[in-house]
Amino acid sequence: MNTLFLGLGLLIYLITAMDIVKTTLSSNGGGKITDAVSKGMWKAFFTLSGKNGRSKLLPYAGPVILVTVLLTWVVGLWLGFFLVLLSDPGSVIKSSDQSLASPLEKLYYAGFTLSTLGVGDYVASSNLWRIVTDVGAFSGLVFITTSITYFLPVLSAVGLQSKLSLYISGMGKTPQQVLINSWNGKNFSSFFDTTSDLCQMLMQHTINHHSYPIIHYFHNSQPKLAISRAIVQLDESHKLLKHGMKQEVDLDELKMNMLQEALDSFLDMVKGNYVKHTSPSAGAPLPDLEELKVKGLPLKEKEDIKESFTHELQERRKLLGTLLQMEGWTWQDVYLKQT
């Protein structure tokens, strides 16, 4: 028996199985193989698209990555089981004449065993290899079925992502428009009427990122459906309310804190899983206040707002800018005419 093939085969099989379990059944991120394949393929798509969020190529990245991860799992299980069979020259025989199977025939045997196809033209040569075949068939059934059913919750999470993007975009095309549309001459009650729904969807989106991190690579080339642009817009709207309005303006502190916590949780997840260093070129512009003044919103002094946005919120806005860059967007896509 070739112990090298046996050990290598078991190692590959176990690593692949653990990656499937970690990715599909854990609520704390994907396995190392899944992460490596996902990040590598996204980088390739992003480079080929010219790092442009409006590229027609980027929306294909998510589905291609999802299918590639599934194929990687299948190949890993198949290769591992094949090497285990290859460790013993007499592990598999032809059912017709009891002659030893060739390496290529063992590869075929490993494939139809894992898929539970059970053709029967090749069989295990002994009780030990019959048991190994049974283990391979049962584990193949479980792992491959689990892998395929993983598609459904991922696509559901992608649907929520699009819903959240549209919800935020529907509030206004820019952070200033969100505030203008919410202002009734006395307060921002319309904005706070939406806060509970926003927080619920945003927190679910954050949880989905932990459970199905592959959704991070599902991209939409339409700005109104781009999740990173939408969340940056929401965060900027929240900060304009918090740091831009005069103290006498009645803000719902409970809902302001709820939205702050939901946004912080999402950004903590992004920083922990996807952003190692904020980009030095991701600095954000100061929001244009002229439109808000024209509409009569009760703003603080311009210097006070500038102080908050350029100093107190500087690191946070660098993180937001980095998030935009990672998906091919810029601050100009958030503030439209502003550069």
Side-chain angles (χ1 to χ4, degrees), residues 34 37-43 45 60-72 214 217-218:
T34 300
V37 170
S38 300
K39 290 176 181 178
M41 292 203 65
W42 170 257
K43 187 175 181 180
F45 269 91
Y60 293 99
V64 170
I65 290 171
L66 186 59
V67 172
T68 303
V69 167
L70 174 61
L71 292 177
T72 301
I214 203 168
Y217 305 106
F218 277 78

Side-chain angles (χ1 to χ4, degrees), residues 34-105:
T34 300
D35 287 345
V37 170
S38 300
K39 290 176 181 178
M41 292 203 65
W42 170 257
K43 187 175 181 180
F45 269 91
F46 197 50
T47 301
L48 290 172
S49 70
K51 299 182 179 181
N52 181 2
R54 288 181 168 81
S55 169
K56 300 301 182 183
L57 178 63
L58 280 180
Y60 293 99
V64 170
I65 290 171
L66 186 59
V67 172
T68 303
V69 167
L70 174 61
L71 292 177
T72 301
W73 288 338
V74 171
V75 170
L77 294 174
W78 194 355
L79 177 61
F81 190 44
F82 166 63
L83 289 174
V84 169
L85 294 174
L86 204 61
S87 66
D88 181 0
S91 59
V92 180
I93 58 177
K94 295 181 182 179
S95 57
S96 58
D97 58 10
Q98 307 299 300
S99 60
L100 297 181
S102 68
L104 187 59
E105 289 166 337

Side-chain angles (χ1 to χ4, degrees), residues 181-337:
N181 292 340
S182 304
W183 176 247
N184 61 11
K186 296 180 181 179
N187 54 46
F188 295 93
S189 59
S190 297
F191 179 87
F192 294 114
D193 287 343
T194 67
T195 302
S196 296
D197 290 338
L198 278 172
C199 289
Q200 183 178 3
M201 285 190 287
L202 184 53
M203 287 187 290
Q204 185 61 56
H205 180 61
T206 303
I207 292 170
N208 286 344
H209 261 83
H210 288 296
S211 300
Y212 319 110
I214 203 168
I215 66 172
H216 184 74
Y217 305 106
F218 277 78
H219 180 90
N220 200 299
S221 57
Q222 298 180 58
K224 67 179 182 180
L225 288 170
I227 188 63
S228 60
R229 194 207 67 83
I231 290 178
V232 172
Q233 176 180 311
L234 179 61
D235 194 84
E236 289 287 289
S237 302
H238 180 271
K239 296 304 173 286
L240 276 172
L241 273 176
K242 184 175 181 180
H243 298 278
M245 298 299 117
K246 292 181 178 179
Q247 291 185 352
E248 57 264 29
V249 177
D250 183 24
L251 299 179
D252 190 324
E253 290 300 322
L254 174 61
K255 291 186 176 180
M256 285 288 287
N257 291 337
M258 287 171 56
L259 187 54
Q260 177 78 60
E261 184 63 29
L263 288 165
D264 287 348
S265 296
F266 175 80
L267 292 178
D268 286 344
M269 178 277 299
V270 169
K271 192 171 183 179
N273 298 329
Y274 303 101
V275 178
K276 293 183 179 178
H277 305 286
T278 55
S279 171
S281 62
L286 183 68
D288 186 356
L289 304 175
E290 191 59 34
E291 188 178 3
L292 299 177
K293 288 181 180 179
V294 170
K295 296 297 183 179
L297 272 70
L299 297 172
K300 292 181 181 178
E301 294 296 325
K302 184 176 181 179
E303 288 303 315
D304 293 336
I305 298 174
K306 182 178 179 181
E307 175 69 19
S308 296
F309 275 79
T310 57
H311 292 89
E312 183 178 344
L313 299 173
Q314 183 180 27
E315 291 304 314
R316 184 184 186 89
R317 299 183 87 216
K318 279 186 179 180
L319 176 58
L320 293 171
T322 303
L323 177 61
L324 290 170
Q325 286 185 356
M326 287 169 54
E327 298 190 25
W329 305 106
T330 68
W331 281 102
Q332 191 172 359
D333 294 305
V334 176
Y335 282 108
L336 298 182
K337 295 181 181 180

Side-chain angles (χ1 to χ4, degrees), residues 1 6 81 84-85 87-88 91 109 124-135:
M1 179 174 286
L6 179 61
F81 190 44
V84 169
L85 294 174
S87 66
D88 181 0
S91 59
Y109 178 83
S125 62
S126 66
N127 288 334
L128 173 62
W129 287 110
R130 291 186 187 99
I131 293 173
V132 171
T133 298
D134 286 342
V135 171

Side-chain angles (χ1 to χ4, degrees), residues 148-160:
I148 294 173
T149 55
Y150 179 67
F151 279 45
L152 297 178
V154 167
L155 296 178
S156 177
V158 172
L160 175 66

